[in-house]
């Protein structure tokens, strides 16, 4: 049986599309539902086109964040997922919901965490003169963008880079590492020990795609022994 997954989105849904594109019969995970916080999200259309079940939990209908979290949790739980994936989900959720899905809630973030948590990561990378920039998939903990990293992919920042070029370069990396993280999780190969992610019992963080020139390399995790 394939691992049941619920995907949370808020916008255009290209990361969702990357998961859909991987979801052939030999992919070990299966999207049970796509839930959007935004009724206009383009990702909802992508989901429908792929024949997936969609739901909307419109954050604007809830004055209190706890009420939004409760409604979201109820909808997610109705699909009995073993993994919940935030793929461009632009709402901050409370500690209660995060605890409820502890160890089975992951997020994609457009920076090399712990650098540039939060918004506007590409502009901040440029302003800071970062030599490398990239994307991370991490387990979600109550600290925003602060949970244990599963996989990262990096690119070298070029002198001519702009926010737009960085955004598109990083997005292409996101589309590779998010399905990879889901696959590893579904294969039961990820564990968290002392706040660090292990792949097959070995240290995983900072060992994503080779950075710089070697962007054709397959995502790999050659971490040192724990
Ligand atoms: C991605 O850059 C993701 O890292 C960030 O929001 C963006 C969502 O893009 N959290 P998409 O909706 O998957 O196209």
């Amino acid at each position: 049986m394939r691992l049941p997954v619920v995907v949370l989105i808020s916008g255009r849904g290209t990361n969702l599309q990357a998961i859909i594109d991987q979801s052939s019969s030999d992919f070990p995970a299966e999207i049970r539902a796509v839930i959007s916080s935004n009724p206009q999200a383009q990702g909802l259309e992508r989901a429908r086109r792929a024949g997936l079940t969609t739901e909307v939990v419109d954050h604007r209908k809830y004055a209190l964040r706890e009420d939004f979290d409760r409604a979201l949790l109820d909808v997610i739980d109705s699909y009995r997922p073993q993994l919940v994936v935030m793929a461009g989900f632009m709402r901050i959720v409370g500690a209660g919901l995060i605890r409820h899905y502890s160890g089975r809630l992951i997020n994609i973030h457009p920076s090399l965490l712990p650098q540039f948590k939060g918004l506007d990561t590409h502009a901040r990378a440029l302003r800071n003169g970062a030599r490398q920039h990239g994307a991370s998939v991490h387990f979600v903990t109550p600290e925003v963008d602060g949970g244990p990293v599963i996989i990262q992919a990096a690119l070298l920042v070029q002198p001519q880079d702009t926010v737009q070029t960085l955004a598109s370069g990083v997005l292409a990396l996101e589309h590779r590492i998010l399905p990879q993280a889901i696959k590893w999780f579904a294969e039961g190969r990820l564990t968290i020990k002392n706040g660090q992610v292990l792949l097959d019992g070995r240290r995983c963080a900072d060992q994503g795609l080779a950075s710089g020139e070697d962007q054709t390399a397959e995502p790999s995790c050659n971490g040192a022994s724990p």
Side-chain angles (χ1 to χ4, degrees):
M1 205 189 85
R2 299 203 279 162
L3 188 93
V5 173
V6 162
V7 181
L8 307 182
I9 61 165
S10 300
R12 75 196 150 167
T14 64
N15 278 290
L16 166 67
Q17 189 69 53
I19 305 167
I20 291 171
D21 293 345
Q22 291 291 315
S23 297
S24 57
S25 52
D26 57 351
F27 195 69
E30 174 181 41
I31 301 175
R32 285 285 164 85
V34 174
I35 303 173
S36 176
S37 61
N38 162 17
Q40 258 80 52
Q42 196 193 333
L44 285 170
E45 192 44 45
R46 295 176 188 275
R48 290 188 201 110
R49 233 182 294 137
L52 297 172
T53 302
T54 60
E55 299 268 8
V56 174
V57 182
D58 187 347
H59 67 94
R60 288 165 309 186
K61 292 193 173 154
Y62 301 88
L64 298 176
R65 204 186 55 201
E66 300 84 78
D67 294 342
F68 171 72
D69 281 4
R70 185 75 246 167
L72 180 63
L73 189 148
D74 285 346
V75 177
I76 297 172
D77 272 0
S78 70
Y79 291 96
R80 304 191 176 285
Q82 287 181 36
L83 177 66
V84 181
V85 178
M86 292 176 157
F89 188 68
M90 302 310 284
R91 309 304 307 169
I92 291 179
V93 292
L97 184 143
I98 292 169
R99 260 196 309 275
H100 183 79
Y101 297 112
S102 177
R104 55 189 177 115
L105 177 61
I106 67 174
N107 179 48
I108 177 94
H109 182 75
S111 80
L112 294 173
L113 292 171
Q115 288 176 61
F116 311 125
K117 297 174 181 177
L119 298 173
D120 300 324
T121 58
H122 310 307
R124 286 158 61 209
L126 284 177
R127 259 203 316 274
N128 279 261
R131 282 193 55 242
Q132 291 201 352
H133 187 43
S136 309
V137 182
H138 64 95
F139 283 103
V140 177
T141 60
E143 189 202 339
V144 176
D145 300 325
V149 169
I150 299 167
I151 183 170
Q152 295 182 309
L155 49 73
L156 288 181
V157 179
Q158 306 296 335
Q160 68 275 19
D161 267 324
T162 62
V163 167
Q164 286 72 27
T165 61
L166 274 190
S168 83
V170 168
L171 193 63
L173 299 178
E174 293 182 34
H175 296 164
R176 297 179 65 181
I177 62 175
L178 185 57
Q180 180 64 70
I182 294 170
K183 184 164 186 282
W184 283 340
F185 186 96
E187 290 168 343
R189 296 170 64 188
L190 299 178
T191 45
I192 305 174
K193 195 174 166 195
N194 302 328
Q196 274 202 326
V197 176
L198 306 181
L199 173 69
D200 299 332
R202 288 161 172 269
R203 227 181 55 185
C204 194
D206 307 326
Q207 299 290 333
L209 285 180
S211 59
E213 301 79 353
D214 196 12
Q215 299 212 353
T216 54
E218 281 310 303
S220 61
C221 181
N222 309 311
S225 297

